[in-house]
């Protein structure tokens, strides 16, 4: 076992895949000279000269050019600096990247990874703090992942790069510095896109989350354990296509569901999970579904305001207690 | 924190209400959905449900007091909790503030167990999984005590409901309908339909043998009537004392009306609309009322108020009482619209879902006793309206047409009109016009 | 800004014949599509290339099969010129299983990756970044000498993507050619009412990209300009911008009521500048093809398109149960 940060784990994933396949290249802003503004590309420019490309501040090119490079036969990993900026190149995401394979009748493959650092950090305020993952599982043709720990960060990124489908890889900015255990290279287990993991087994309530939301899920499960409530904690890891079966099976066992994410609650991915459970396992529910996310408000700047749009483990703890 | 109980505002026109009766006492446990108190307005008396669970901490206004809408009239909260603005309660430890239970205990219910107090057939608040379990075990949900949030039956309630015998689903359903308590049944193994029927028969016999009332008196113990009956009693008395009224009766040949309904009903049925004679009468009355503005009016303090629109009420039986919802702007609505809206109002009346708006603002009322074979009656005016139309049974009657005796479906229309405004001639002309329109419905087009 | 040089004298008869064959195929293909679309036989929107045939023909004739093009919603001409099979094109436009995209794309998303036609694009201005990205991949990642071409109209040159792609292409000297089909109409809006530039190629100077204007009705002139641009790209000298002056003879789409102009106006322009007629005159002058030879090619094309239509009509629609096929690779 080794200990790495989330950010170092993504670097390992990049290095391992780039060594194996010279069609893989990286482009985005501030990568080659800086190693990425969160250090997530550190060391790669030296290791792979010419394959880590600094682009102009041109998001439509970064994503659209990535799609074109993929159509031409390369395997681009493109970086969005902040997930908030994907909006600049939304056409390239949902009309080009997502559709090329289908509308050309399978002639095209788009093996592209779009890395999207998201979430609140350093009082980034309204345009540098958002969690926008829920926009994308609504688009057929794209896969969406959001790992929650260093080991997953690495294995999910490898799976994303090796996939022949376009994958949006949400990486939470707070998580970059989080440390976690990784097995030695020989022992690491490949990740299959679309699989959730039951991180903690329990019998009384199912808590589903992903990315930084998992901190809340784990925190709440710890608090509940003190009261003798055994929470089953599921890390979704992939949001599209998501692992319905694992969630449904868990709810059929615990009869209670709580979903949580840092993103705005209204229209958040938790709504999809909740609706699916209501559709397919309603008769197993012994309490109304609980859903946690940010209030319907842009991310404020001042610390006193920003803390109001965050979710805390205590919120889940209180809400889940009320389910019994 | 304690939650305030407000005097509700039931409809646009309500400004104040009188507390008729508190159904819970101070200090009593209250569950969300329990009837907390009844409130009387000038229109109706309504039961008001609690929307929080807790203890009724304090009643601020007693029975008979009239209070403006949105005024705080009571507080519900945790037992022993102080209510805002009141001196601190005595040092009773607050149940809600109990520290976290020691580790390794099983999930503890937050709400103390309460016996279900539901009438058989009432909708039972229960989580889906609890329903599923109850169905599998053949339990009648309405007999299971709820310990879940908001008085909801949850799985553990079903699982702990093992005192009662196993019951077939049919027996459980029947028991719910007949109000038979299954726990008392002494069946061998599973309770079947026959066991429930036997128990029900016994229960009826027992009820009959129990004497009621004061010994030696002919009277049984007086019972307080329900709010609806109280409201009807008050309104009818007020009307009797207000309107000097005359009832005029006019026979109408219903051939054309029958014909009209026969021609329209199938087509409307395909659109999901049920057409009855009452709907045709409402349409015709609306048309006639636009021609007699003094009848589509109200009167008080020597002031006559004409109403711009015709809002026609229809007397609808509800349980043992009567409610008169009305169709707004009936003069501007098609027969299909009137039919659809009226049926909607009737359904809402029977389900207790009428809004205050549905019941107020009427300008004329129709009351039909035709289905009961009544051929003449004198309806009482629904205040502050000036007239009401009584509709009688359609009877095949020999009549003379063009010198020949023919059989025609004849029907009496009985108009009660307030003579303070509507004199005999006006009332008769109005009634005549109604008959003319009913016998020649094509005139509705003009 | 460079301007067109006089057409080279030396074209082989084979070259000329190829030019005319391609243009005539496009013309007959489009006329057949127009007829069937108006008859309601073709589902969806179709946008015709009639009158602009010389541009796709001249540019694609200068490309290799493994060079790639990004096309537009008016893409049938590009597709044919790049060498796609007309039978499978026709089948696609009719939504058939044998179509190039197995009925998933239709007219607006027609593509044939086997000949480097990387797709028509339903989003105006959607192709620049794709072509630029392909050029980047070819040059720096895949390290080959392939050239990318992006076709776009005057309307599309007002998109922001135009700037991002031109800037990158120039900054990194990418092997890409920007082909502007200046057909004077952005859907129903005359180009000059929304842009204060007579020549869009003026914009190329802002990126240090050579901007060339050619007569888009003259296939020889287009070809010459393209040959030069392709050579420059393969030499690693970077992008070229070619503005081909043309005119959109047909409505924006088949069925366009064309309330914004008169039929007389378009017919007159067509009469004066029809690229097929211009070819016949010039070919005769250059003595590379006679009128009779052109007539014979036209006759062949009529048959070829009839056969394509027959192929499309006889093909099955895709199996409904397979509608999810191709959403993902795995």
């Amino acid at each position: 076992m080794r200990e790495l940060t989330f950010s170092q784990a993504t670097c390992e994933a990049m290095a391992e895949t780039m060594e194996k396949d010279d069609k893989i290249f990286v482009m985005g802003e501030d990568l080659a000279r800086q190693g990425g503004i969160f250090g997530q590309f550190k060391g790669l420019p030296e290791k792979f000269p010419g394959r880590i490309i600094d682009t102009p501040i041109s998001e439509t090119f970064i994503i659209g050019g990535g799609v074109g490079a993929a159509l031409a036969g390369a395997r681009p990993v493109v970086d969005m600096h902040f997930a908030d900026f994907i909006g600049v190149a939304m056409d390239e995401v949902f009309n080009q990247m997502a559709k090329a394979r289908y509308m050309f009748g399978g002639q095209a493959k788009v093996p592209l990874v779009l890395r999207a650092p998201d979430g609140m950090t350093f009082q980034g305020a309204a345009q540098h703090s958002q969690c926008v993952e829920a926009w994308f599982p609504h688009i057929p043709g794209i896969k969406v992942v959001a790992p929650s720990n260093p080991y997953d960060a690495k294995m999910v990124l490898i799976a994303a790069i090796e996939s022949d489908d376009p994958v949006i890889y949400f990486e939470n900015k707070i998580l970059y510095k989080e440390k976690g255990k990784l097995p030695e290279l020989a022992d690491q287990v490949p990740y299959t896109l679309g699989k959730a993991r039951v991180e903690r087994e329990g019998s009384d309530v199912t808590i589903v989350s992903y990315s930084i939301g998992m901190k809340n899920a784990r925190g709440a499960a710890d608090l509940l354990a003190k009261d003798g409530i055994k929470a089953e904690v599921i890390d979704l890891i992939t949001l599209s296509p998501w692992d319905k079966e694992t969630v449904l099976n868990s709810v059929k066992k615990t009869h209670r569901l709580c979903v949580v994410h840092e993103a705005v609650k209204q229209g958040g991915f938790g709504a999809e999970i909740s609706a699916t459970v209501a559709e397919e396992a309603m008769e197993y529910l012994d309490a109304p579904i609980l859903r946690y996310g940010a209030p319907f408000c842009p991310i404020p700047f001042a610390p006193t305001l920003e803390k109001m749009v965050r979710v805390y483990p205590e919120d889940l703890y209180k809400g889940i207690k009320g389910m019994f | 924190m304690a939650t305030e109980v407000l005097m509700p505002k039931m409809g646009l026109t309500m400004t104040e209400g009188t507390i008729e009766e508190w159904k819970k006492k101070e200090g009593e446990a209250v569950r969300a959905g329990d009837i907390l108190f009844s409130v009387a307005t000038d229109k109706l008396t309504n039961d008001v449900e609690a929307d929080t669970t807790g203890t009724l901490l304090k009643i601020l206004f007693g029975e008979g007091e009239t209070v403006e809408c949105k005024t705080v009239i009571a507080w519900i909260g945790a037992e022993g909790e102080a209510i805002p603005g009141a001196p601190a309660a005595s040092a009773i430890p607050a149940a809600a503030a109990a520290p976290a239970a020691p580790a390794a205990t099983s999930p503890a219910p937050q709400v103390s167990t309460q016996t279900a107090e539901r009438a058989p057939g009432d909708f039972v608040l229960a989580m889906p999984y609890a329903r599923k379990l109850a169905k599998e075990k053949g339990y009648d949900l309405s007999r299971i005590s709820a310990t879940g949030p908001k008085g909801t039956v949850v799985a553990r309630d079903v699982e702990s409901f093992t005192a009662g015998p196993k019951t077939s689903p049919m027996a459980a359903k029947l028991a719910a309908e007949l109000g038979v308590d299954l726990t008392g049944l002494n069946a061998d193994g599973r309770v079947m339909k026959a066991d429930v029927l036997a128990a029900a028969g016994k229960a009826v016999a027992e009820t009959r043998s129990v004497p009621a009332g004061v010994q030696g008196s002919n009277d049984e113990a007086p019972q307080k009537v329900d709010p609806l009956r109280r409201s009807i009693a008050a309104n009818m008395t007020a009307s009797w004392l207000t309107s000097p009224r005359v009832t005029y009766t006019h026979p109408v040949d219903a051939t054309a009306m029958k014909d009209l309904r026969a021609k329209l009903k199938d087509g409307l049925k395909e659109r999901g609309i049920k057409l009855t004679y009452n709907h045709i009468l409402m349409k015709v009355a609306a048309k006639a009322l636009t021609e007699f503005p003094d009848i589509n009016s109200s009167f008080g303090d020597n002031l006559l108020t004409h109403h711009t629109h015709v809002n026609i009420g229809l007397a609808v039986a509800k349980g043992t009482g009567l409610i008169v919802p009305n169709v707004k702007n009936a003069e501007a609505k098609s027969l299909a619209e009137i039919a659809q809206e009226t049926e909607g109002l009737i359904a809402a009346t029977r389900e207790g879902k009428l809004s205050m708006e549905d019941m107020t603002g009427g300008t004329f009322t129709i009351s039909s006793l035709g289905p009961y074979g009544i051929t003449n009656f004198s309806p009482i005016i629904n205040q502050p309206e000036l007239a009401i139309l009584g509709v009688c049974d359609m009877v095949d009657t020999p009549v003379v047409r063009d010198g020949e005796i023919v059989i025609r479906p004849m029907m009496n229309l009985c108009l009660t009109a307030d003579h303070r405004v509507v004199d005999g001639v006006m009332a008769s002309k109005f009634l005549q016009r109604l008959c003319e329109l009913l016998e020649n419905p094509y005139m509705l087009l003009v | 800004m460079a301007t067109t040089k006089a057409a080279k004298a030396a074209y082989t008869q084979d070259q000329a014949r190829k030019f005319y064959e391609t243009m005539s195929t496009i013309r007959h293909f489009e006329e057949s599509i127009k007829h069937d679309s108006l008859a309601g036989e073709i589902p969806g929107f179709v946008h015709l290339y009639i009158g602009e045939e010389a541009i796709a023909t001249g540019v694609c004739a200068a490309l290799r099969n493994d060079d790639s093009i990004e096309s537009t919603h008016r893409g049938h001409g590009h597709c044919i010129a790049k060498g796609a099979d007309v039978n499978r094109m026709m089948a696609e436009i009719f939504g058939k299983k044998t179509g190039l995209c197995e009925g998933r794309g239709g007219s607006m998303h027609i593509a044939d990756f086997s000949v480097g036609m990387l797709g028509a694009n339903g989003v105006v201005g959607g192709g620049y970044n794709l072509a630029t990205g392909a050029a980047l991949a070819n040059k720096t990642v895949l390290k080959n000498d392939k050239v990318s071409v992006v076709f776009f109209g005057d309307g599309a040159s007002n998109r922001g993507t135009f700037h991002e792609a031109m800037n990158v292409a120039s900054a990194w000297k990418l092997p890409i050619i920007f082909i502007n089909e200046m057909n004077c109409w952005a859907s129903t809006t005359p180009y000059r009412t929304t842009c204060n530039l007579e020549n869009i190629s003026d914009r190329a100077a802002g990126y240090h990209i050579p901007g060339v204007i050619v007569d888009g009705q003259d296939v020889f002139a287009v070809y010459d300009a393209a040959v030069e641009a392709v050579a420059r790209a393969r030499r690693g000298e970077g992008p070229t911008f070619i503005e081909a002056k043309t005119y959109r003879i047909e409505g924006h789409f088949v069925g366009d009521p064309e309330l914004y102009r008169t039929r007389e106006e378009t017919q007159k322009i067509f009469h004066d500048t029809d690229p097929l007629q211009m070819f016949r005159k010039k070919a005769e002058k250059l003595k590379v093809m006679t009128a009779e030879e052109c007539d014979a090619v036209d006759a062949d094309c009529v048959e070829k398109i009839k056969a394509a239509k027959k192929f499309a009509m006889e093909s099955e629609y895709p199996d409904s149960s397979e509608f999810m096929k191709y959403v993902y690779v795995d």
Side-chain angles (χ1 to χ4, degrees), chain A residues 193-224:
Chain A
L193 293 175
K195 289 277 177 229
R197 180 189 308 113
V198 178
E199 187 177 284
R200 185 186 303 201
E201 288 196 12
S203 53
D204 301 331
V205 56
T206 301
I207 308 179
V208 182
S209 192
Y210 51 85
S211 186
I212 195 160
M214 283 301 290
K215 280 171 144 288
N216 278 314
R218 293 172 194 135
D222 290 343
L223 292 171
L224 290 164

Short mmCIF file of all heavy atoms in Angstrom, two decimals, chain A residues 193-224:
data_model
loop_
_atom_site.label_atom_id
_atom_site.label_comp_id
_atom_site.label_asym_id
_atom_site.label_seq_id
_atom_site.Cartn_x
_atom_site.Cartn_y
_atom_site.Cartn_z
N LEU A 193 -16.40 1.31 -16.13
CA LEU A 193 -17.31 2.46 -16.14
C LEU A 193 -18.74 1.98 -15.93
O LEU A 193 -19.15 0.97 -16.50
CB LEU A 193 -17.21 3.21 -17.46
CG LEU A 193 -15.89 3.92 -17.75
CD1 LEU A 193 -15.90 4.53 -19.15
CD2 LEU A 193 -15.60 5.01 -16.72
N GLY A 194 -19.48 2.71 -15.09
CA GLY A 194 -20.88 2.35 -14.88
C GLY A 194 -21.12 1.56 -13.61
O GLY A 194 -22.25 1.24 -13.28
N LYS A 195 -20.05 1.26 -12.87
CA LYS A 195 -20.21 0.46 -11.65
C LYS A 195 -20.14 1.33 -10.40
O LYS A 195 -19.20 2.10 -10.23
CB LYS A 195 -19.11 -0.61 -11.57
CG LYS A 195 -19.27 -1.71 -12.59
CD LYS A 195 -20.26 -2.76 -12.11
CE LYS A 195 -20.48 -3.82 -13.16
NZ LYS A 195 -21.88 -4.11 -13.42
N ALA A 196 -21.12 1.15 -9.53
CA ALA A 196 -21.08 1.81 -8.23
C ALA A 196 -20.41 0.86 -7.23
O ALA A 196 -20.21 -0.31 -7.53
CB ALA A 196 -22.48 2.13 -7.76
N ARG A 197 -20.04 1.41 -6.07
CA ARG A 197 -19.44 0.54 -5.05
C ARG A 197 -20.18 0.72 -3.73
O ARG A 197 -20.43 1.85 -3.30
CB ARG A 197 -17.97 0.89 -4.84
CG ARG A 197 -17.35 -0.02 -3.76
CD ARG A 197 -15.96 0.37 -3.31
NE ARG A 197 -15.08 0.54 -4.45
CZ ARG A 197 -14.56 1.71 -4.81
NH1 ARG A 197 -14.83 2.79 -4.11
NH2 ARG A 197 -13.78 1.79 -5.85
N VAL A 198 -20.52 -0.40 -3.11
CA VAL A 198 -21.06 -0.32 -1.74
C VAL A 198 -19.84 -0.16 -0.84
O VAL A 198 -19.07 -1.08 -0.65
CB VAL A 198 -21.85 -1.59 -1.37
CG1 VAL A 198 -22.35 -1.50 0.06
CG2 VAL A 198 -23.01 -1.78 -2.34
N GLU A 199 -19.66 1.06 -0.34
CA GLU A 199 -18.44 1.34 0.40
C GLU A 199 -18.55 0.84 1.84
O GLU A 199 -17.57 0.51 2.48
CB GLU A 199 -18.19 2.85 0.38
CG GLU A 199 -16.87 3.24 0.96
CD GLU A 199 -16.64 4.72 0.87
OE1 GLU A 199 -16.32 5.21 -0.23
OE2 GLU A 199 -16.79 5.42 1.90
N ARG A 200 -19.78 0.88 2.35
CA ARG A 200 -19.99 0.42 3.71
C ARG A 200 -21.34 -0.30 3.72
O ARG A 200 -22.31 0.24 3.20
CB ARG A 200 -20.05 1.64 4.63
CG ARG A 200 -20.14 1.31 6.08
CD ARG A 200 -20.32 2.54 6.93
NE ARG A 200 -19.28 3.55 6.75
CZ ARG A 200 -19.01 4.50 7.64
NH1 ARG A 200 -19.71 4.56 8.76
NH2 ARG A 200 -18.09 5.40 7.41
N GLU A 201 -21.39 -1.47 4.28
CA GLU A 201 -22.66 -2.19 4.29
C GLU A 201 -23.48 -1.81 5.50
O GLU A 201 -22.93 -1.52 6.56
CB GLU A 201 -22.40 -3.70 4.25
CG GLU A 201 -21.91 -4.13 2.89
CD GLU A 201 -22.01 -5.62 2.67
OE1 GLU A 201 -22.67 -6.31 3.47
OE2 GLU A 201 -21.41 -6.09 1.68
N GLY A 202 -24.76 -1.80 5.36
CA GLY A 202 -25.65 -1.46 6.46
C GLY A 202 -27.04 -1.96 6.18
O GLY A 202 -27.36 -2.34 5.06
N SER A 203 -27.89 -1.95 7.20
CA SER A 203 -29.21 -2.55 7.03
C SER A 203 -30.35 -1.56 7.17
O SER A 203 -31.49 -1.88 6.87
CB SER A 203 -29.39 -3.65 8.09
OG SER A 203 -29.12 -3.09 9.37
N ASP A 204 -30.07 -0.32 7.63
CA ASP A 204 -31.18 0.54 8.03
C ASP A 204 -31.50 1.67 7.06
O ASP A 204 -32.64 2.11 6.99
CB ASP A 204 -30.89 1.14 9.42
CG ASP A 204 -30.67 0.06 10.46
OD1 ASP A 204 -31.26 -1.03 10.29
OD2 ASP A 204 -29.92 0.28 11.42
N VAL A 205 -30.51 2.17 6.34
CA VAL A 205 -30.75 3.26 5.40
C VAL A 205 -29.64 3.24 4.35
O VAL A 205 -28.50 2.91 4.66
CB VAL A 205 -30.82 4.64 6.12
CG1 VAL A 205 -29.56 4.90 6.92
CG2 VAL A 205 -31.07 5.77 5.13
N THR A 206 -29.99 3.55 3.11
CA THR A 206 -29.01 3.62 2.04
C THR A 206 -28.67 5.09 1.78
O THR A 206 -29.57 5.89 1.57
CB THR A 206 -29.58 3.01 0.74
OG1 THR A 206 -29.93 1.65 1.00
CG2 THR A 206 -28.59 3.09 -0.40
N ILE A 207 -27.39 5.42 1.86
CA ILE A 207 -26.98 6.79 1.51
C ILE A 207 -26.19 6.71 0.20
O ILE A 207 -25.20 5.97 0.12
CB ILE A 207 -26.10 7.43 2.60
CG1 ILE A 207 -26.79 7.32 3.97
CG2 ILE A 207 -25.81 8.89 2.26
CD1 ILE A 207 -25.97 7.91 5.12
N VAL A 208 -26.66 7.42 -0.81
CA VAL A 208 -25.99 7.39 -2.11
C VAL A 208 -25.36 8.75 -2.39
O VAL A 208 -26.00 9.79 -2.20
CB VAL A 208 -26.99 7.07 -3.25
CG1 VAL A 208 -26.26 7.00 -4.59
CG2 VAL A 208 -27.71 5.76 -2.99
N SER A 209 -24.12 8.73 -2.82
CA SER A 209 -23.47 9.98 -3.21
C SER A 209 -22.34 9.67 -4.19
O SER A 209 -22.23 8.56 -4.70
CB SER A 209 -22.95 10.72 -1.98
OG SER A 209 -22.58 12.02 -2.36
N TYR A 210 -21.50 10.68 -4.44
CA TYR A 210 -20.35 10.55 -5.34
C TYR A 210 -19.49 11.77 -5.11
O TYR A 210 -19.93 12.74 -4.48
CB TYR A 210 -20.79 10.47 -6.81
CG TYR A 210 -21.74 11.58 -7.20
CD1 TYR A 210 -21.26 12.83 -7.60
CD2 TYR A 210 -23.11 11.42 -7.10
CE1 TYR A 210 -22.12 13.86 -7.92
CE2 TYR A 210 -23.98 12.45 -7.40
CZ TYR A 210 -23.48 13.66 -7.82
OH TYR A 210 -24.35 14.69 -8.12
N SER A 211 -18.27 11.73 -5.61
CA SER A 211 -17.34 12.85 -5.49
C SER A 211 -17.29 13.34 -4.04
O SER A 211 -17.33 12.55 -3.10
CB SER A 211 -17.74 13.96 -6.47
OG SER A 211 -16.77 14.99 -6.46
N ILE A 212 -17.26 14.66 -3.86
CA ILE A 212 -17.09 15.19 -2.49
C ILE A 212 -18.32 14.93 -1.62
O ILE A 212 -18.23 14.94 -0.40
CB ILE A 212 -16.72 16.68 -2.51
CG1 ILE A 212 -16.19 17.10 -1.14
CG2 ILE A 212 -17.93 17.51 -2.95
CD1 ILE A 212 -15.37 18.35 -1.15
N GLY A 213 -19.44 14.65 -2.23
CA GLY A 213 -20.65 14.33 -1.46
C GLY A 213 -20.43 13.12 -0.57
O GLY A 213 -21.08 12.94 0.46
N MET A 214 -19.47 12.27 -0.96
CA MET A 214 -19.19 11.07 -0.17
C MET A 214 -18.70 11.42 1.23
O MET A 214 -18.85 10.64 2.16
CB MET A 214 -18.16 10.20 -0.89
CG MET A 214 -18.72 9.41 -2.05
SD MET A 214 -20.05 8.29 -1.56
CE MET A 214 -19.13 7.07 -0.60
N LYS A 215 -18.08 12.61 1.38
CA LYS A 215 -17.64 13.02 2.72
C LYS A 215 -18.85 13.16 3.63
O LYS A 215 -18.82 12.80 4.79
CB LYS A 215 -16.90 14.35 2.64
CG LYS A 215 -15.47 14.23 2.19
CD LYS A 215 -14.94 15.63 1.94
CE LYS A 215 -13.55 15.88 2.30
NZ LYS A 215 -12.85 16.01 3.38
N ASN A 216 -19.90 13.72 3.09
CA ASN A 216 -21.14 13.86 3.86
C ASN A 216 -21.74 12.49 4.16
O ASN A 216 -22.23 12.25 5.26
CB ASN A 216 -22.15 14.70 3.08
CG ASN A 216 -21.89 16.18 3.26
OD1 ASN A 216 -21.68 16.63 4.37
ND2 ASN A 216 -21.90 16.92 2.17
N ALA A 217 -21.72 11.64 3.16
CA ALA A 217 -22.32 10.31 3.34
C ALA A 217 -21.59 9.55 4.44
O ALA A 217 -22.21 8.98 5.33
CB ALA A 217 -22.26 9.54 2.02
N ARG A 218 -20.24 9.60 4.37
CA ARG A 218 -19.46 8.88 5.38
C ARG A 218 -19.64 9.51 6.75
O ARG A 218 -19.81 8.81 7.75
CB ARG A 218 -17.97 8.91 5.01
CG ARG A 218 -17.65 8.14 3.74
CD ARG A 218 -16.19 8.37 3.31
NE ARG A 218 -15.99 7.91 1.95
CZ ARG A 218 -15.33 8.60 1.02
NH1 ARG A 218 -14.78 9.78 1.31
NH2 ARG A 218 -15.21 8.12 -0.20
N GLY A 219 -19.63 10.84 6.79
CA GLY A 219 -19.78 11.56 8.07
C GLY A 219 -21.12 11.23 8.72
O GLY A 219 -21.18 10.96 9.93
N ALA A 220 -22.15 11.24 7.93
CA ALA A 220 -23.48 10.97 8.47
C ALA A 220 -23.56 9.52 8.95
O ALA A 220 -24.11 9.23 10.01
CB ALA A 220 -24.55 11.23 7.41
N ALA A 221 -22.95 8.61 8.19
CA ALA A 221 -22.99 7.19 8.57
C ALA A 221 -22.30 6.99 9.92
O ALA A 221 -22.77 6.23 10.76
CB ALA A 221 -22.34 6.34 7.49
N ASP A 222 -21.19 7.73 10.14
CA ASP A 222 -20.49 7.62 11.43
C ASP A 222 -21.39 8.10 12.57
O ASP A 222 -21.47 7.47 13.62
CB ASP A 222 -19.21 8.48 11.41
CG ASP A 222 -18.14 7.88 10.49
OD1 ASP A 222 -18.28 6.68 10.15
OD2 ASP A 222 -17.21 8.61 10.11
N LEU A 223 -22.04 9.25 12.36
CA LEU A 223 -22.92 9.78 13.42
C LEU A 223 -24.07 8.83 13.71
O LEU A 223 -24.43 8.59 14.86
CB LEU A 223 -23.48 11.15 12.99
CG LEU A 223 -22.48 12.30 12.89
CD1 LEU A 223 -23.12 13.53 12.27
CD2 LEU A 223 -21.93 12.64 14.28
N LEU A 224 -24.64 8.27 12.63
CA LEU A 224 -25.78 7.37 12.79
C LEU A 224 -25.36 6.10 13.53
O LEU A 224 -26.11 5.55 14.34
CB LEU A 224 -26.36 7.01 11.43
CG LEU A 224 -27.09 8.16 10.71
CD1 LEU A 224 -27.28 7.83 9.24
CD2 LEU A 224 -28.43 8.45 11.38
#
